[in-house]
Each structure stands twice: as C-alpha cells, then as structure tokens.
Amino acid sequence: MPATKPEQKPRLVVLGSGWGACRLLKDIDTRLYDVICVSPRNHMVFTPLLASTCVGTLEFRSVAEPVRSIQPALSLLPDSYYFLARCTDINTDQHEVHCEALQEDIDDGKGEGGNKFSVAYDKLVIATGAEASTFGITGVHEHALFLRDVKNAMDIRTKLLLNLMKCEIPGTSMEEKARLLHCVVVGGGPTGVEFSGELSDFIRHDVHHKFAHVKDLIHVTLIEANEILSSFDVRLREYAVNQLTKTGVKLVRGMVKEVLPEKLLLTDGTEVPYGLLVWSTGVGPSPFVRNLPFEKSPGGRIGVDETLKVPGVEDVYAIGDCSGYLERTNKTVLPALAQVAERQGKYVAKALNKMAKAGEGHAKAHITPADPFVYRHLGSMATVGRYKALVDLRESNKSRGLSMKGFLSWIVWRSAYLTRVISWRNRLYVAVNWATTFLFGRDISRF
C-alpha cells in the first residue's frame, strides 16, 4: 500500500494481535487515524484462562476474541484493514513494513508463505510478542508442546485424550501405559502451575470416572529448576507446593538436559519417560525481533526509551513482550505479563491520539509525549486446582500489600478474570462453560 496523501488521515500500522496490540487498537481514535493491523493470528487470546481449555473446563472460543470485534473500523472504514500476514522486515527510511501473507497453519504463524507486499506507515507500533524459551535444549521444539495459543491448547487436549484412549487398547503393555499416562510439565511459573493444577483436577474428577480402567496409572510431574511461582509471596509458594502435592502432582527440582521422543534427561542423569510433555519456561525474543536493525535491550528485545519509542528511529514504538527498556534509561526491567503489555498499549494509544489532535499525527518529526510510561503492578493470581487459588496484591519487589490463598482467593480469581474477558459474548461463554463443567463434568470428546 502506498504512502498516505496529504488529504488522508495518517496511517497507523500495528504489528501483532496480543494484549498490547489489541488494547491499542481498542483505544485508538479511528476518526484521527486509518488503522492497519498485520498479524498471523486474527484473534486475541485471553491467556489467563488458556490452561482451562486444555482439559475441557472451557471451550476454545471462550478465550479467543476476533480482532475485527475489538476494533470494528478494520472492517467498516474504507482505509482501515486487517491483513492475515506476518511482517518480515521494516524499512524505516522508507516508512514501510514488508509482509508475507499466510496460507496454512495461520494460528502459529508458521504456515506456508503467500503473496509478499509492503505497507507504508506514518506511525508504526511493533507488538509481535515473544516466543517460548528453550535455552537451546536439544529436542524441545521437536517433542514438547507449548501453551501460548489456542492451537497449542488444542494440541495438548488432543494428545492427552489420545493417550488415555490408547491405554485401553488390548495388548498395550503396562510399561507403555505408564509412559503414555505420565504428563510432564517443565516450568514452575504461573502457566506451568495452573496447567498442572487443572490437569490434576481433571484426573481426580473426570478421568477417575470416565477412564476407570487406567485411572491409577495417570499422574503429573512438574519440573522446575528453582522455586515454583518465584515472584509470589513465600507463604503463597508454600501453599501452592502443599496443594499441588496433595492433589497428586509430583514436584521435581532439576534442569532438563535433553528431550528425546519418549523421555527427557535431567542434568543429574535422571531419565523421565513421558506421554505428554508441556514446556512452559518463560519467553524470549523471536527471530523476527532479533533480526531487526534496532538497538536491543538486555535480553535481546527491541530497545525502547521511557516513552516506549525506539530511539534513533522516527515514528516507531514497541510494546509488550517484544520490547524492553534500554540499559541507559536506568528503568526497572518489566515482567513479561499481560497487564504490562495492555497498559503499554493504552499509553501509546493515548499518546498517538494526543499527537493527532494537536495536528501533528501526519508529521514525520519525532514528538515525545509529555509524560513517560509508568508501570504499577496490580498483583498476580494463579489457580492451583479445584476451589483453590493464590492472590498476591503486593507491590513489585516490596513486602507490603495483601496476599490471600484458598477458596476465597479462588472466588476472587474467577471473578476478576470473568470481568476482564473483553466481550460480553465471551463472558457469557466462560460463565456457561464453568456452570456446565460444574454440573456435568468436562467434555472428553476428541475431534
């Protein structure tokens, strides 16, 4: 698409459809900007509830919100578009992004490439997120499943149910059954802990009733190199350990050395056979981000200043997991959390709206917002099984603040996430799914 003409509104190009990108799309004033979103995923994923979809507590559409619903202008306005594509390069001199349309496997962004095209921008916001960290461990990409997208959750659910059904086939040895039904989770952060809790709850309340022939063979192991939920209050960590252990999750402290097709090796020489391996060890910069010719922050992300702008480049911002403060800013490293990305998206949208209202939105010159971005941590929450959760509302790196655990925390956890789901449609889906699961158990259909 060619550059905008003087009589047109300035064009804002947004790369990505995660928390930061979608909050920006929601808040940007489309009376001031033409908006183009480029992403290999046409929906935003409500990641805090993604683990629940793996075992049938929630259905997949409950956690996916279409980009066009978040910002209707992408469909309704003549010069605003959503492109199902991935950005391959950015030409900052020409104010262009080079893209490649997708044809297959659009959910994970790794499908076969299609038509190549370029889009000129007046303002560019990079919000492409990050990818799962494997620390260079051999075999992870080939044999492990990740939990970052709806497609990942679908793969996990399919694999889990397939293994349960394989074990009921006559002729399957006890050793093979034990391997198939050993679910291993690597990574003791909130995602790994929540998935382990959901899985143990699924085993105790659904597998024991619907797969009675193999109910005594299935179990869960959570492997973490250090402490689980390291960012939480120590009392909450201890509660999480006790609760997971009580529900049958085996906690192993160790580091993975190599992943083989049917087992993984720890650095101490221990072999751990598995039928399902879920990898949840944090995130790092994607190849696209690493290859961009921008100054990088510690850790390899796109470096930004206090206003989330990429220094030395006109009209380019970076938000969310793909970005980080440059070392010279002396700013605290922000965690890779949805709430960080969402508030960055809100901040940049407000700044861009302010510029355009001042009649400067079309200008090529750099205009710095008056106030730098300030992040205030609102707290962390995690569920650790049926009717049990953790709520840590302490300020970052400080001991003061409220922290709770148990049933009341579980009520707070569900209430908070139900109200945070973007659309009323999906809130209804989530509420109905929770009620259906409570009354009738989880759906164990395999498609």
Side-chain angles (χ1 to χ4, degrees), residues 163-415:
N163 287 353
L164 281 164
M165 295 171 188
K166 277 184 177 180
C167 289
E168 293 188 320
I169 299 297
T172 307
S173 67
M174 290 299 295
E175 182 181 8
E176 179 66 0
K177 288 180 181 180
R179 182 191 69 79
L180 286 171
L181 296 182
H182 187 198
C183 305
V184 177
V185 182
V186 178
T191 300
V193 168
E194 289 196 326
F195 176 69
S196 298
E198 285 279 357
L199 196 52
S200 65
D201 190 46
F202 171 67
I203 292 169
R204 295 172 67 207
H205 296 94
D206 294 271
V207 172
H208 281 200
H209 292 95
K210 298 171 182 176
F211 294 91
H213 301 298
V214 296
K215 65 180 183 180
D216 297 326
L217 296 175
I218 186 168
H219 59 289
V220 183
T221 297
L222 174 60
I223 300 175
E224 168 57 41
N226 301 299
E227 296 280 345
I228 68 168
L229 299 175
S230 58
S231 63
F232 281 68
D233 180 79
V234 63
R235 294 180 297 110
L236 299 185
R237 294 203 302 266
E238 292 172 353
Y239 178 82
V241 169
N242 293 334
Q243 186 62 31
L244 289 172
T245 302
K246 187 164 63 175
T247 57
V249 178
K250 181 182 178 181
L251 301 178
V252 174
R253 181 171 292 187
M255 296 181 64
V256 178
K257 178 182 179 181
E258 184 180 3
V259 178
L260 300 174
E262 296 183 353
K263 64 181 179 181
L264 56 84
L265 307 178
L266 303 184
T267 52
D268 63 3
T270 304
E271 294 186 358
V272 183
Y274 66 85
L276 172 67
L277 175 60
V278 176
W279 196 269
S280 177
T281 58
V283 296
S286 66
F288 168 71
V289 167
R290 289 196 296 267
N291 292 332
L292 288 176
F294 301 147
E295 189 176 357
K296 299 299 193 297
S297 69
R301 292 174 169 85
I302 300 171
V304 296
D305 62 18
E306 297 89 342
T307 63
L308 306 183
K309 187 180 183 298
V310 180
V313 183
E314 291 183 347
D315 304 317
V316 178
Y317 297 82
I319 60 176
D321 293 350
C322 70
S323 67
Y325 287 125
L326 290 168
E327 197 167 9
R328 63 175 177 269
T329 63
N330 295 318
K331 299 279 285 184
T332 303
V333 177
L334 297 178
L337 297 174
Q339 60 179 290
V340 174
E342 183 182 28
R343 261 174 285 166
Q344 287 179 333
K346 180 179 180 180
Y347 167 86
V348 172
K350 182 178 179 180
L352 292 174
N353 289 339
K354 183 178 179 180
M355 291 178 198
K357 287 178 181 177
E360 298 166 332
H362 217 307
K364 299 296 182 185
H366 169 46
I367 303 164
T368 304
D371 301 314
F373 173 73
V374 177
Y375 171 69
R376 291 183 176 87
H377 188 62
L378 297 180
S380 302
M381 296 185 289
T383 179
V384 288
R386 177 167 288 202
Y387 309 140
K388 299 292 188 296
L390 315 172
V391 175
D392 190 348
L393 301 180
R394 298 173 305 141
E395 295 181 43
S396 297
N397 302 319
K398 297 182 180 179
S399 58
R400 66 175 181 268
L402 177 66
S403 60
M404 303 185 299
K405 58 185 183 296
F407 178 73
L408 179 59
S409 298
W410 181 80
I411 295 294
V412 172
W413 176 83
R414 281 210 163 181
S415 301

Side-chain angles (χ1 to χ4, degrees), residues 123-161:
K123 301 292 181 183
L124 172 66
V125 179
I126 306 170
T128 52
E131 65 174 20
S133 295
T134 64
F135 307 103
I137 298 172
T138 304
V140 176
H141 282 293
E142 292 80 3
H143 308 301
L145 297 175
F146 301 95
L147 185 51
R148 295 186 51 76
D149 209 334
V150 171
K151 188 176 187 303
N152 300 148
M154 294 174 68
D155 291 340
I156 291 170
R157 183 165 166 179
T158 298
K159 181 73 170 177
L160 177 62
L161 293 173

